[in-house]
Amino acid sequence: MERLREVPVGALPPARLTPVIGAERAARFEEMAGQARRILGGRVVMNVNSTAVGGGVAEMLQTLLGYLRGAGLDARWTVLGGNPDFFTITKRIHNRIHGSPGDGGALGAGENEIFRTTTTENAAELLAMVERGDFVLLHDPQTAGLVEPLKQAGAIVAWRSHIGCDEPNEWSEAAWEFLRPYLADVDAYVFSREGYAPSWLDRARLWIIPPSIDPFAPKNVPLPQRTISRILAYTGVLRGDVVSTPIHFERRDGTVGRLDRHADILQTGPPPPNDAPLVVQVSRWDRLKDMQGVMESFAAHVAGATSAHLLLVGPNVSGVTDDPEGGLVLRECMERWQQLPHSRRSRIHLACIPTADVDENAVIVNAIQRHATIVTQKSLAEGFGLTVAEAMWKRRPVVASRVGGISDQITHGENGILVDDPSDLATFGDALRGILADPAAARRLGRNAALQARDFFLGDRHLSQYAEMIASLLGGEIEPNPPPHRRPGGTKRRPPGPSPDVTQP
Ligand code: UDP
């Protein structure tokens, strides 16, 4: 079994957000960070999740913890270890919390035994790094078993679920019943949406904190058009001249990286030309992301009626250790692709992006998202789509399912398009065709999307909410940041602030 390991986190200066969020908001953020530092008084803020690469939680921790360190807090990150049996069980729980049966296996005494044993082994390693009074933020079901040993050691423990489902069903109830005993002693529960918290959960300990993206991460930083084209040609995602000069990019820690790896791509012939309209979905190979549904919808309703190509992008499946279903879901997509008629297949490209170097992976995804004519997220369930926030920040028109957190992120017709029923392939295809045929509407949606992302999806809002929670658990008090003038899906009024153009190419 892999062991618990610490992920190095470099410090990032919070002040670099100022050109994006404006001086007033930046000053509030700085003030809040100072108060949090005083209240924590040198205690460690330990985060635990189950992977350092792939998926939204890893993506966020990479930068959020950097800002905390930059603000003078001792924020750390560890990734728990487990064997394939453990991750099969936790993936089962993950699917069920989303309301889906997953692999249909049991969640009984045997699974409890594996879950508890793995956690106990991880706790033994973790407790070497956590002292009485430290604050520990545990992420997602994999970490639930750590609550008890951490509480016994005197830590203050918050447990965060990044997932949930709109309509509880027998599957989600069963998964929550499995986790419930492990979560009894948690000091605070954090959910991205209130509706995701199970009904039995103590509301007095509940905090609602949506995720965020970082505009300066390799995933989101502005890239010159020429660099985008070069990255896409080099990785093999788009046709173009592969020049021999190396392609460099800036890593999270400010050092220079070089693009070394190519993507694995399944396609009939050469990649699409640089000027072909490109519909893109970037997701883990997870059934709930419904990559296959995007392919079916595109093949049946878009490919024949437009000149667009579809690019389905996911991680290299060996790279995400906590996601045992990835290989299977990718294989199913490939098999279905092979069955499509040649005229459809030749417009659909399946790409696996290398994950060996997380910054390299990020800059490739960045270039793909920036090049996309439309970004889709046709999920069947979604906690909060970071991919949606990333595309909105990049001014892309997004076509997504009206599920879970996505319905908070996008206001239909204003800053993106929501399709009510994710299984309705024709309506999804209509939405794609509509935007492909109307570039002016696409630009308007993209502009509004970037404003929405600036106002609600950035790290200062996210960290301020964490700070309020930590202060309240440690008996201190933090001046809450004024609530945003408009919460996603709420009434319209935009706070003053610089336009996202400040950091957009
Ligand atoms: N992602 C990535 N490379 C990939 C596929 C996904 O970097 O090949 C990233 C994606 O850009 C996003 C995150 O993984 O930042 C996925 O987060 P999201 O909230 O959309 O879904 P999750 O995977 O957490 O369910």
Side-chain angles (χ1 to χ4, degrees):
M1 150 172 150
E2 279 188 42
R3 293 162 73 100
L4 181 115
R5 66 188 173 90
E6 188 158 9
V7 183
V9 181
L12 298 171
R16 76 174 177 172
L17 287 171
T18 307
V20 181
I21 62 179
E24 195 190 314
R25 201 166 127 182
R28 282 203 306 271
F29 181 43
E30 205 167 294
E31 167 69 12
M32 175 283 308
Q35 292 176 31
R37 204 168 41 238
R38 279 191 293 281
I39 290 169
L40 278 161
R43 297 168 208 238
V44 166
V45 177
M46 177 66 81
N47 283 257
V48 188
N49 82 321
S50 60
T51 179
V53 51
V57 180
E59 177 72 27
M60 272 187 292
L61 292 180
Q62 284 157 15
T63 46
L64 280 182
L65 301 186
Y67 285 123
L68 289 182
R69 291 190 77 82
L73 273 61
D74 191 356
R76 301 189 200 173
W77 180 7
T78 48
V79 169
L80 55 69
N83 61 21
D85 286 347
F86 174 74
F87 287 123
T88 300
I89 293 166
T90 57
K91 182 74 193 192
R92 193 173 294 156
I93 297 170
H94 173 98
N95 282 324
R96 291 190 188 169
I97 289 182
H98 275 305
S100 143
D103 67 357
L107 285 179
E111 288 70 26
N112 249 308
E113 178 60 28
I114 294 172
F115 193 76
R116 197 176 286 281
T117 312
T118 308
T119 315
T120 307
E121 288 169 26
N122 278 286
E125 304 265 349
L126 182 62
L127 289 176
M129 289 177 264
V130 174
E131 297 199 349
R132 179 166 292 280
D134 283 347
F135 177 78
V136 184
L137 182 51
L138 302 173
H139 297 268
D140 280 333
Q142 297 92 334
T143 64
L146 295 169
V147 173
E148 194 185 312
L150 284 165
K151 285 297 297 172
Q152 277 171 4
I156 295 152
V157 181
W159 181 79
R160 174 161 194 168
S161 173
H162 292 268
I163 53 178
C165 66
D166 300 331
E167 302 284 339
N169 62 16
E170 57 174 313
W171 300 110
S172 61
E173 302 278 358
W176 282 119
E177 278 312 308
F178 182 94
L179 293 175
R180 187 173 176 172
Y182 293 101
L183 299 176
D185 292 336
V186 162
D187 295 296
Y189 303 100
V190 184
F191 282 76
S192 302
R193 316 181 75 202
E194 185 152 8
Y196 285 172
S199 56
W200 47 262
L201 198 125
D202 176 10
R203 265 36 199 180
R205 287 183 271 166
L206 176 62
W207 294 76
I208 303 303
I209 306 181
S212 59
I213 58 166
D214 180 44
F216 298 101
K219 175 71 57 69
N220 298 311
V221 75
L223 296 172
Q225 189 52 49
R226 195 176 120 71
T227 308
I228 295 174
S229 302
R230 289 185 65 209
I231 293 173
L232 298 180
Y234 179 86
T235 48
V237 167
L238 274 196
R239 216 174 300 169
D241 294 334
V242 181
V243 283
S244 54
T245 44
I247 303 170
H248 290 119
F249 59 89
E250 189 176 334
R251 294 187 173 281
R252 262 172 305 150
D253 64 6
T255 60
V256 175
R258 189 186 65 191
L259 211 63
D260 290 321
R261 297 174 183 83
H262 305 271
D264 295 341
I265 303 176
L266 180 66
Q267 56 197 359
T268 52
N274 223 324
D275 57 355
L278 197 65
V279 177
V280 169
Q281 178 159 309
V282 178
S283 292
R284 286 178 299 106
W285 301 102
D286 178 320
R287 236 173 238 113
L288 295 175
K289 305 292 182 183
D290 202 20
M291 295 284 233
Q292 196 171 327
V294 183
M295 178 160 67
E296 302 283 5
S297 170
F298 187 88
H301 304 289
V302 184
T306 71
S307 60
H309 286 244
L310 171 67
L311 181 62
L312 296 175
V313 181
N316 190 319
V317 285
S318 58
V320 188
T321 44
D322 70 338
D323 193 358
E325 278 175 13
L328 185 63
V329 172
L330 172 62
R331 260 197 315 283
E332 286 169 5
C333 279
M334 288 163 67
E335 278 163 22
R336 182 60 196 126
W337 178 87
Q338 260 143 4
Q339 290 160 4
L340 291 172
H342 185 275
S343 61
R344 300 293 184 261
R345 232 182 321 144
S346 60
R347 299 273 211 85
I348 298 174
H349 314 260
L350 272 57
C352 289
I353 306 295
T355 49
D357 175 337
V358 61
D359 291 336
E360 182 188 56
N361 178 280
V363 80
I364 296 170
V365 170
N366 187 350
I368 292 172
Q369 288 171 329
R370 285 188 186 277
H371 182 80
T373 315
I374 299 176
V375 171
T376 72
Q377 195 58 55
K378 200 190 142 330
S379 300
L380 307 178
E382 192 66 69
F384 175 102
L386 276 190
T387 50
V388 171
E390 289 158 3
M392 291 175 82
W393 173 248
K394 295 174 182 111
R395 292 212 203 105
R396 298 298 91 196
V398 178
V399 175
S401 322
R402 193 191 288 277
V403 293
I406 299 178
S407 39
D408 296 335
Q409 293 174 264
I410 291 179
T411 304
H412 176 69
E414 186 187 320
N415 49 34
I417 300 292
L418 291 173
V419 175
D420 289 337
D421 175 3
S423 65
D424 183 350
L425 301 183
T427 304
F428 196 80
D430 286 349
L432 295 179
R433 282 205 318 276
I435 295 187
L436 287 167
D438 190 349
R443 278 195 298 278
R444 180 182 62 80
L445 292 173
R447 270 195 312 271
N448 289 341
L451 292 170
Q452 171 84 343
R454 179 202 66 187
D455 294 347
F456 299 107
F457 305 152
L458 300 186
D460 62 317
R461 186 271 306 150
H462 193 170
L463 291 173
S464 299
Q465 288 183 289
Y466 272 149
E468 278 173 50
M469 178 182 75
I470 292 173
S472 126
L473 294 176
L474 295 181
E477 219 168 89
I478 274 189
E479 216 29 50
N481 243 338
H485 294 223
R486 182 177 64 146
R487 295 213 173 270
T491 52
K492 293 180 190 176
R493 196 146 68 88
R494 200 171 290 291
S499 129
D501 292 10
V502 172
T503 61
Q504 299 279 315

